[in-house]
Amino acid sequence: NENLTSRGLLNNPDVQFLFSALPQAAGSKGTPAFTPPASNLAGGKIGDVTVLPGAELTAPTNADHVGGRIALIGANVTNAGRINTPDGQTILAAGLQVGFTAHSSSDPSLRGLDTWVGAIKDPASALPEYAGTVTNTGIIDAPRGNITMTGKRVNQMGILTATTSVSLNGRIDLNASYDAVSNPAFDPTNSAFGAPFLYKSAGTVTLGRNSVTRILPEVLSTEKVVGTKLALPSQINMQGSVIHLQQDAMVLAPNADVSIKAGKWDFIASANAPKSNFIYSGGQVYLDKGAWINVAGSTDAVAQMTDNIVTLQLRGSEFANSPLNRNNAGVRGVDITLDLRQQGTYNGFAWVGTPLADATGYVGLIQRDVAQLTGAGGNVSIHSGGAVIMQPGSGIDVSGGFANYNGGMVRTTRLRYGNHIFDISQATPDRVYDG
């Protein structure tokens, strides 16, 4: 504040900083409210928030991957500079009223705040509507974090970029919803009573020509986790009455979930229990020539051949479908080496590594990096109450990726049965093996 005051910025009517607390503490009840209320908008000094080219705003992270938050809030918000919030959240919200609520802990894909836009016009003024436009022509970077742009008109004309690691996802929300009002029935302890604020109107989301909206896996990271897919896949969500991807607009998010919803808010007024639902009535999703939504899986992931080779000991539970060898000292409780790429069925039961016992549980114990975990194609969901129009040259890609395995020696266990030797992958449970 001292630095801003010395430069005269805080005294400039074109710059406005709004601070408000969350509606109420968890466990308490009461009607949340915007600050300022609509009745106080008349005659107020309304200003825009503008970040000019060359300006840079940063909220640093720490060693525990806990980042900060940058929120630009004003009648209209424009970013032409660079905003960086690793492991945190960037919020651009345009309106005369803006509210925040803590995002539900039941949805770990967003670790931050939900943002609500209320009035975009002074109800007591005869002047035309002058608020509600949020525009990005610069770069917003939120590695393992969230980017939220919301207002009546959401214009993404620059670069929005986030990343996903093996444990923390990236998420981008472009929400053209406004005219929200307080919900008098809201109860933070009971989700059946609805959200703290209820939307009444939907606007437009525009992804400008040559814009880039992307969430990339951190393929240079050496972090690994067990499993075959990400616990938190990345997300890109767009919602409004019209969603328009202009020529050569790119949405790129390997293995991600992309949701596009075009419709309107159905607000039902009630003194005690109002409701608001987003319905697919009217609305349009439009992809110009060259616009592309790409959630194809990661390609050229590097893996080791030895990742598929595991050494384990087969015991009672693994021999559930192999009673002849359940107590066989030659194979029970001794080190067995399997190649988990070997798979098939025997007597109607699927097997991995060997048909002799159930080793399927060990597949999920292989450690993989984020490139391997994002090899499957993602999901694109488009809903519209009016039309979905794709011009020639636009496209949606949900194809799968691939991994390249470095060479390695594969040496698996072999079993004796009389004068015969069988590789463990050929050892069927209808024989009693000698060792």
Side-chain angles (χ1 to χ4, degrees):
N1 285 346
E2 180 180 353
N3 186 37
L4 292 173
T5 303
S6 66
R7 295 165 56 191
L9 292 181
L10 287 184
N11 297 322
N12 188 333
D14 292 331
V15 180
Q16 183 182 42
F17 293 80
L18 302 179
F19 299 92
S20 69
L22 298 181
Q24 56 264 317
S28 64
K29 297 183 180 180
T31 302
F34 283 112
T35 301
S39 59
N40 290 348
L41 292 177
K45 293 182 178 180
I46 305 301
D48 296 339
V49 175
T50 302
V51 180
L52 296 177
E56 184 169 350
L57 306 177
T58 300
T61 185
N62 61 24
D64 296 322
H65 292 293
V66 178
R69 182 179 297 110
I70 292 177
L72 305 183
I73 306 163
N76 301 288
V77 177
T78 301
N79 172 58
R82 185 181 185 107
I83 302 175
N84 186 28
T85 54
D87 298 306
Q89 186 178 28
T90 297
I91 299 173
L92 276 60
L96 304 185
Q97 297 174 309
V98 174
F100 294 112
T101 59
H103 188 70
S104 173
S105 59
S106 63
D107 176 18
S109 68
L110 174 56
R111 300 167 296 280
L113 301 177
D114 291 326
T115 308
W116 310 81
V117 172
I120 60 171
K121 184 181 184 300
D122 183 347
S125 173
L127 295 175
E129 173 191 306
Y130 53 86
T133 299
V134 55
T135 302
N136 174 59
T137 60
I139 301 174
I140 302 178
D141 187 13
R144 302 168 302 279
N146 170 253
I147 301 170
T148 294
M149 294 177 60
T150 183
K152 180 179 180 179
R153 292 166 293 273
V154 178
N155 302 318
Q156 177 354 44
M157 306 296 182
I159 297 176
L160 301 181
T161 180
T163 64
T164 290
S165 69
V166 293
S167 56
L168 298 173
N169 68 311
R171 174 167 163 167
I172 297 174
D173 294 289
L174 307 178
N175 184 14
S177 299
Y178 63 104
D179 272 349
V181 295
S182 299
N183 178 9
F186 175 67
D187 183 349
T189 64
N190 189 343
S191 60
F193 290 95
F197 297 97
L198 302 176
Y199 283 120
K200 299 172 65 176
S201 304
T204 60
V205 175
T206 302
L207 273 62
R209 185 170 182 172
N210 295 315
S211 64
V212 175
T213 305
R214 71 181 188 183
I215 304 177
L216 300 179
E218 298 181 340
V219 295
L220 298 181
S221 172
T222 58
E223 291 183 304
K224 292 185 176 183
V225 294
V226 297
T228 57
K229 62 181 181 180
L230 290 173
L232 291 174
S234 50
Q235 290 186 22
I236 296 179
N237 304 305
M238 306 178 211
Q239 183 168 278
S241 62
V242 176
I243 313 294
H244 185 192
L245 277 68
Q246 294 181 348
Q247 183 174 347
D248 296 324
M250 169 63 75
V251 175
L252 174 62
N255 186 244
D257 294 330
V258 173
S259 173
I260 301 177
K261 299 178 180 180
K264 68 179 184 180
W265 287 98
D266 181 28
F267 177 75
I268 302 175
S270 170
N272 298 319
K275 294 182 179 180
S276 182
N277 296 300
F278 191 80
I279 61 174
Y280 301 116
S281 175
Q284 184 181 88
V285 178
Y286 196 99
L287 277 69
D288 279 341
K289 176 183 178 181
W292 202 259
I293 301 174
N294 187 345
V295 295
S298 296
T299 59
D300 207 22
V302 178
Q304 306 301 320
M305 181 63 66
T306 53
D307 291 344
N308 297 303
I309 311 302
V310 298
T311 298
L312 52 94
Q313 292 186 359
L314 302 174
R315 298 186 182 275
S317 59
E318 289 83 8
F319 285 119
N321 297 316
S322 183
L324 295 180
N325 291 279
R326 186 173 301 161
N327 297 310
N328 185 349
V331 294
R332 177 188 173 96
V334 299
D335 287 345
I336 300 289
T337 302
L338 306 176
D339 183 350
L340 297 180
R341 297 173 302 159
Q342 303 296 326
Q343 301 180 18
T345 58
Y346 182 83
N347 282 347
F349 293 98
W351 58 267
V352 174
T354 178
L356 181 64
D358 182 9
T360 55
Y362 291 90
V363 176
L365 299 181
I366 298 177
Q367 289 195 333
R368 296 177 173 86
D369 61 25
V370 70
Q372 294 172 268
L373 294 173
T374 55
N379 303 292
V380 177
S381 173
I382 301 177
H383 291 84
S384 172
V388 176
I389 300 172
M390 296 180 63
Q391 292 292 343
S394 62
I396 299 173
D397 189 349
V398 295
S399 57
F402 63 89
N404 283 324
Y405 283 87
N406 290 330
M409 184 68 67
V410 177
R411 188 170 185 174
T412 55
T413 297
R414 284 179 274 183
L415 302 181
R416 288 188 297 107
Y417 175 69
N419 294 326
H420 301 276
I421 295 179
F422 295 93
D423 185 81
I424 191 69
S425 64
Q426 305 297 319
T428 55
D430 57 346
R431 309 182 185 98
V432 178
Y433 296 93
D434 299 322

